[in-house]
Amino acid sequence: NDGAGDADGAVAAAEAAAAGSAAAEAWRHGDGTYELVGEGQGINGLPPMVYGAVWNPFPGMEEFVTYGAKHIKVWRKVKVGAELRWVGEMGLRNDGLRVADCSQRNPGDPNTGEGKISAAAALAAASKTSSRPGSAAGAGAAGVSSPKPNPALSKSMTPLSKLGPASANGSRPPSRPSSAARRSLAAAAAAKPPGVGESGSKGSQVTVGGENIVSAVYVRRDVIVTGFPSGALGVWTVSHHGADGARCHPVHDAVARWTVSMAQRIVGAHEPGPRVNLNDGTTTYGGVRAMTMRADGATMLTGGADGWVHTWELADGTIAVVGRPKTDGPGKPPVERRRAVLLRKLGSSGETAGPNSFKISSPYQNEPPPAFRAIDCRPQDSSQRRAREVPYEFVMGTNKCDVWEVEYKRGIDRPPTIGVQVYGHTADLYAVASHPTDPDVFASCAEADRVFLWNANERTLARTAPVGLVGRSICFSATPVPKSQTYFPDWRPVNRKDGTACDAGHHLAVGGKFGKIAILDGVTLQPLVKLKDVGSALDDLKYCGGPRAMLAAASHDICVDVYDVHRGYTHLSRCRGHMAAVTHLDWSLPMFPHLPAERILQATCAACELLYWEPVSGEQVLENQRDARWESWTCAQGFPVMGIWEDGSDRTDVNAVDRAKSGQATFDEKTKEIVQADRCAGGLDRAGYVVTADDFGKVKLFNYPCVFNDAPYREYKGHASHAMCVRFSCDDKRVFTAGGHDRAVLQFVTRGVRCDETLPVYTPPPEPKRTWGPIDGGKAYGWIEEKGTSGGAGGSERRNRRAPPKAIAGAAAAEEALRLKREAEEAARAKEEKRLADLALGPKPSNANYGQTSAGATGTVAGLSAGIAKRDVADVDKPLTAMAAQQQPKQQPKQQQPKPRYPEQAR
């Protein structure tokens, strides 16, 4: 700190609150452009080494911190040589041997760095805390005064490596850091500290020792609080120095160099939680990965992997730390007094539902509590800032991709409402399925042991249940399956809307990543059957309609397995013949009116083969099926969808395809006939629409059938990763898409796709008024749209271009002059070469003097070329007008004809 005392801490807290509110509205007044202002090397190692970055929110602080694997680094913009660069300085003393101050398992123990305080002091400090969250005596940066230092208690500080139950009671004698730590600290003290941007003796900046840092937050202008995988918290101080080496103010003075070091470590803030797997194959604990400071600047929140959220009080004070080892003789290292922030956990023992401590349980039964990965508080609005009120609501993100919210709906004096606002998938998402009869229901499954049933109209989670396998594909039965005491004895189908019992219901099949198929009830998700015939990943599942319902499963076993649904999923056949893993399946409508159960199954594989099968016998059908009518079309290969592939596409670019139901024929089980569509798109038979999902996160809408090269389409974006699956709803009003690594399900609303819907009127935007000229300061040329024109965006969006700086404008003018100069030189050179070519193609001389004339012409060309080259080199700095005048071709003197040697030549 700059030594201004507790009052400066209060001012800093107020400045932080004002900066937070201003930052929340800053994006509204920006010009919408972004540019790279600087870059620098974080830390070498196997990615990811840098876990995150946090900007310093205090006014005037152009500073941020990055943290990650065994390091913390503070960055500032400084002048190095003749340019401004972002330079980072590594943090020191992250060796795990810092002072472990009194454990925060007891919320009444302020961590002053003085060891265990007396019971009277703890009772006095606890009595100043009210029941309201964050309401400590004298709330603010300087509201809580630290207990009076006690020299005797300072000697009882012990290293973290030897902290135990005995050390908490003070019975264990103090111990010094290990010999290795003393040697490393002594070497760091003896060496000359490097300047800004310089490296150490080994050519790289390293943190002494190391422990992973998984979260960080600025609580003061020069104080950072970090979280560790062990559940502990660390308090770091940043010291700013001027060119003379003296400490300076980080805003008002010029900072030449800075250092960051750990001042305090608070153990027991959270439990470490369960182990998690890292990308390099190792495991670690979750620890404290979520922390944020409230708008008042006096309290902060931390969320851990143990499912707890704690409120901490921030107060400025001094902390006693062990200084650098002595180099002038034997003895213990000196104890230094350092200004930092004192943290005190608010809340009483046993508090689980607020207002200061919250214990969150998993929304799913028999699962551990969620591990928090992010947390954020509600910012102050204008009325709250005027009344100096602090909003206590906050939201949290978990490792299960759920978003929780703690909200005080009935006032701050009443218990809060805690619940999940957004449910998410816990792994990569590969499959989504729409209900065949209910347009508001769809299901999804990720590479986890849980399936989700969603309400598309309300955009909420209707039901979720564990499956018992890692999901990869999902599908609803095409028609309701009748209940059977023989094959499904414990199944009681119910109606989704009113919950009444019914005689039949839809099944939901889930294919596993490592094989097996789980059959569930489509409403209650009750497990019914588990099929174990497949031993590898199942990429697709498809049900066919009645009268004989069957289930086809495409797997990486390079075959298709077919099951009889009405007979308890009896295995009928295995279709063999593909050269690679089978990826997509489709059922045809009944082939013959008198044999409604006869259908054809088509399948595509990773080798781009399209094969047809007889499902009951498993034999391959070799006849052409171009006239067959298909119940669905989800294959990426075939005549009707050959236009979806762009030029240069890889065979894996398109991940999923689905055809709309509108305009397609259906099968009526009551009449046993194929019903033709009343209306088709454009009045054409079998015409409709088809959507695709590709590796670029895009969803495209094509006409169906799509048989032309470079077929027209409409493109829609939204996924941050590969779009792995796409499905129309049963009424074609919505399109559901599943993203891979972004673990998100998006739903799009269609316009004009259904045949009974009026086509939207398309009004093309007016042609923009534009001119061709220099853009971006003259470095490139392009179309410049005039202000007030639509530019193809309806007229409401105007291209906001900033005037280029003077330096850029000067460079553009110089570049333009150089371009004109080069054009003039090229024109003069081309004209001169043309004239010389005309001279060389003159009247052909006689045989006697042909060689001499030829040699003379060649010498003239060489001389003129040398002259042009000399003139180009010598006239680089001349004005363009002088260059243009000088490079005009001069008239060459007429050459005298050589005298003839013999009279015959003269005649």
Side-chain angles (χ1 to χ4, degrees), residues 864-889:
L864 290 175
S865 300
I868 292 175
K870 293 179 180 179
R871 189 162 58 245
D872 292 344
V873 176
D875 299 337
V876 171
D877 299 329
K878 288 186 178 181
L880 293 177
T881 55
M883 287 289 298
Q886 184 178 356
Q887 291 181 358
Q888 294 295 333

Side-chain angles (χ1 to χ4, degrees), residues 645-695:
W645 298 90
E646 296 182 355
D647 294 338
S649 298
D650 186 11
R651 62 184 181 182
T652 61
D653 285 348
V654 178
N655 297 319
V657 176
D658 191 34
R659 185 193 64 187
K661 283 76 175 176
S662 299
Q664 307 302 321
T666 58
F667 179 74
D668 190 351
E669 293 189 14
K670 296 181 179 179
T671 62
K672 309 298 182 183
E673 295 180 355
I674 296 178
V675 181
Q676 303 295 335
D678 296 335
R679 297 176 58 188
C680 300
L684 303 176
D685 184 28
R686 308 189 195 183
Y689 299 93
V690 63
V691 290
T692 64
D694 56 31
D695 279 347

Side-chain angles (χ1 to χ4, degrees), residues 62-125:
E62 289 192 358
E63 179 181 293
F64 68 94
V65 59
T66 58
Y67 56 90
K70 301 182 180 181
H71 81 283
I72 183 172
K73 201 170 188 178
V74 176
W75 299 76
R76 289 183 65 90
K77 184 187 292 186
V78 296
K79 189 173 184 181
V80 180
E83 60 177 346
L84 291 175
R85 292 193 309 180
W86 284 94
V87 179
E89 291 290 341
M90 283 285 192
L92 301 177
R93 303 183 181 180
N94 184 20
D95 51 8
L97 296 175
R98 301 307 304 150
V99 175
D101 303 305
C102 53
S103 173
Q104 288 302 310
R105 298 180 188 277
N106 185 355
D109 292 342
N111 57 319
T112 62
E114 303 298 333
K116 200 73 171 176
I117 65 173
S118 62
L123 183 61

Side-chain angles (χ1 to χ4, degrees), residues 99-100 114-116 151-159 167 170 172-175:
V99 175
E114 303 298 333
K116 200 73 171 176
L153 292 177
S154 299
K155 299 180 180 179
S156 64
M157 297 185 298
T158 59
S167 61
R172 180 175 293 176
S175 59

Side-chain angles (χ1 to χ4, degrees), residues 530-615:
K530 181 167 288 188
L531 308 175
K532 303 180 181 180
D533 301 282
V534 182
S536 61
L538 290 110
D539 286 342
D540 198 7
L541 297 172
K542 284 292 189 307
Y543 280 93
C544 71
R548 185 177 186 179
M550 291 177 283
L551 171 65
S555 66
H556 288 197
D557 289 343
I558 320 181
C559 60
V560 179
D561 292 270
V562 183
Y563 300 88
D564 192 334
V565 176
H566 291 169
R567 295 186 178 182
Y569 291 88
T570 303
H571 191 270
L572 291 178
S573 64
R574 171 164 286 190
C575 308
R576 303 175 183 272
H578 281 281
M579 301 298 294
V582 185
T583 55
H584 301 287
L585 297 169
D586 284 304
W587 289 95
S588 70
L589 294 175
M591 302 298 295
F592 308 102
H594 60 284
L595 296 175
E598 292 295 330
R599 296 173 181 261
I600 296 296
L601 178 66
Q602 72 172 2
T604 59
C605 65
C608 299
E609 288 181 323
L610 177 60
L611 303 181
Y612 304 99
W613 307 93
E614 204 287 319

